[in-house]
Amino acid sequence: MRAAQRLWVAQAIERIEADFQRSADTHLIPLPLPGFPSIDLYFKDESTHPSGSLKHRLARSLLLFGLCNGDIHADTTLVEASSGNTAVSEAYFARLLGLPFVAVMPRTTSPEKVRAIHFYGGSCHFVESPAQVYADATRIASERKGHYLDQFSNAERVTDWRSNNNIAEAIFQQMQREPHPLPRWLVCSAGTGGTSATLGRYLRYRRHDTELCVADPEHSVFYACWQQQRRTLTCTEPSRIEGIGRPRCEPSFMPQLIDHMVKVPDAASVAAVRELERLLDRRVGGSTGTQFIAALELMQQMRARGETGSVVTLICDSGERYAHTLFNDDWVHQQAFDLPHWCQRIGQLLAGDAAPLLAPRGD
Ligand SMILES: Cc1ncc(COP(=O)(O)O)c(C=O)c1O
């Protein structure tokens, strides 16, 4: 029995490694902005992973972690708490291994993500409040004698942050032949906090001067946790930028690795997504818009100081996952977002306006 279990685990790991071997790295896309002639902006396009987002990397690592810890066997039901993207990627890997998968998600999760989870053979359990996902995932895993993958606790520890093709190593390799190979800033956002933990650790490990900025949406606790150095804070309103912004300071969020945080109004994130559609000729997800606003703010400060250099951020997922929200004018209207104001402000900044994009925060 033990030998059979061990053989299945070995074969499962081999299947994941073969899947990795078939995959290519994601592109690093430059976005020339004439208003910033001395500053180069790049997007690491994580939407091109087979399961459509940056969470493909995390899902692979969580599955390998569970297999190597002896928590996943041939008959294990995998369970996860997610705002959608991680669940899509885990459903992809669950199908690869022939395991049942249950995603526990807020009812507001985009129908496109729900459809993708079903496409990979997973099932969905919906909760009314984002803060409920943890308890329900724990309960369902226990009822089914399954394994709760628990991205919010494990994201920071399942990734090999020193190297092994993590996102940070890939960025620095792909930047090697650029005019400013060492970025002045890396800009990401936080759901689990895993991406920012990997980037922050890698910067220290490689002794790079590059600083890490994390962009946080309106309804999220991360900015206040970082600012006030308090992990016990909570936020009751659900985030409108899917994938980022959390009600609690997730265990994988490591504020001590973050040099700067920017609180981005949701209306600005959505306007940024619309502007990026024009600039990149493609649709990106909301968190990419949030990060773009933070990147522009930093670039504007660099320009004001006469600095040259590069800034690298991510395309976390594709806008195709948000046809019912970000790209639906009725949804935008319901949220009372003033998109014309923000599109105008972004346009002015891109044209060389020296005024800051975001008002300084008093908190
Ligand atoms: C669209 C999107 N952007 C950004 C993130 C943040 O990534 P992390 O969980 O590594 O903090 C997520 C996480 O789910 C996401 O789905």
Side-chain angles (χ1 to χ4, degrees):
M1 181 59 186
R2 279 182 80 84
Q5 270 190 2
R6 192 76 179 251
L7 178 64
W8 184 86
V9 168
Q11 287 168 341
I13 292 170
E14 178 56 31
R15 253 176 278 164
I16 293 177
E17 294 290 282
D19 181 76
F20 181 62
Q21 194 66 37
R22 289 192 296 273
S23 303
D25 197 0
T26 61
H27 298 284
L28 190 65
I29 300 173
L31 175 59
L33 295 171
F36 294 92
S38 312
I39 303 167
D40 301 328
L41 177 64
Y42 300 83
F43 288 87
K44 176 87 173 135
D45 185 3
E46 294 289 287
S47 71
T48 60
H49 285 293
S51 62
S53 81
L54 79 170
K55 305 327 284 274
H56 193 80
R57 294 177 194 269
L58 174 63
R60 184 197 295 125
S61 301
L62 284 165
L63 266 284
L64 286 173
F65 190 65
L67 286 163
C68 294
N69 282 339
D71 292 331
I72 300 175
H73 305 284
D75 55 356
T76 304
T77 297
L78 300 176
V79 182
E80 182 64 293
S82 175
S83 61
N85 276 336
T86 307
V88 174
S89 299
E90 288 167 342
Y92 170 95
F93 284 103
R95 186 178 76 166
L96 192 71
L97 304 189
L99 298 176
F101 174 72
V102 183
V104 181
M105 305 186 296
R107 193 169 297 285
T108 50
T109 306
S110 80
E112 292 84 358
K113 291 181 193 169
V114 173
R115 193 201 56 76
I117 292 164
H118 288 149
F119 172 79
Y120 290 123
S123 58
C124 300
H125 168 92
F126 294 107
V127 298
E128 300 310 322
S129 139
Q132 219 180 314
V133 289
Y134 319 101
D136 278 34
T138 308
R139 178 180 53 75
I140 291 169
S142 142
E143 282 168 4
R144 302 198 186 188
K145 297 194 171 37
H147 175 58
Y148 174 23
L149 291 153
D150 195 0
Q151 58 163 334
F152 293 105
S153 297
N154 293 320
E156 61 87 5
R157 72 192 63 153
V158 297
T159 300
D160 291 341
W161 47 271
R162 289 180 202 84
S163 58
N164 195 9
N165 189 44
N166 70 39
I167 189 168
E169 184 184 45
I171 288 171
F172 280 87
Q173 272 178 4
Q174 287 173 310
M175 285 294 290
Q176 269 172 17
R177 303 183 81 146
E178 298 307 301
H180 305 287
L182 279 184
R184 171 70 184 84
W185 287 101
L186 295 182
V187 182
C188 70
S189 50
T192 61
T195 304
S196 58
T198 302
L199 294 174
R201 285 169 172 160
Y202 189 84
L203 292 178
R204 279 163 186 73
Y205 181 59
R206 293 282 176 199
R207 284 95 66 206
H208 292 317
D209 289 335
T210 305
E211 289 188 275
L212 175 63
C213 171
V214 175
D216 206 28
E218 230 169 283
H219 303 309
S220 175
V221 81
F222 290 135
Y223 179 90
C225 291
W226 174 80
Q227 176 91 359
Q228 300 172 30
Q229 299 184 20
R230 284 168 63 197
R231 292 201 76 101
T232 50
L233 300 173
T234 54
C235 170
T236 46
E237 286 222 54
S239 177
R240 292 180 291 189
I241 307 298
E242 262 186 61
I244 60 168
R246 298 300 306 164
R248 66 175 200 187
C249 186
E250 301 297 350
S252 286
F253 180 69
M254 306 191 64
Q256 69 274 28
L257 299 177
I258 300 169
D259 298 295
H260 185 59
M261 282 195 75
V262 177
K263 192 82 175 162
V264 179
D266 291 348
S269 298
V270 178
V273 161
R274 301 286 179 102
E275 286 299 304
L276 281 172
E277 182 175 8
R278 196 175 54 76
L279 293 165
L280 293 167
D281 192 26
R282 52 185 290 195
R283 292 184 163 185
V284 297
S287 65
T288 306
T290 311
Q291 295 169 176
F292 184 50
I293 293 287
L296 285 179
E297 182 81 346
L298 294 168
M299 290 165 68
Q300 192 271 339
Q301 290 165 9
M302 287 170 70
R303 183 172 62 188
R305 290 192 293 262
E307 282 180 34
T308 60
S310 58
V311 175
V312 179
T313 186
L314 318 174
I315 294 176
C316 299
D317 62 357
S318 155
E320 306 309 320
R321 293 199 161 161
Y322 306 98
H324 294 76
T325 51
L326 302 176
F327 296 98
N328 176 340
D329 288 336
D330 290 340
W331 182 84
V332 170
H333 186 70
Q334 278 163 21
Q335 308 304 319
F337 288 151
D338 187 357
L339 290 200
H341 163 76
W342 283 107
C343 287
Q344 188 191 20
R345 284 298 300 122
I346 295 167
Q348 288 167 339
L349 191 95
L350 292 177
D353 188 4
L357 195 54
L358 305 170
R361 290 177 64 85
D363 54 1

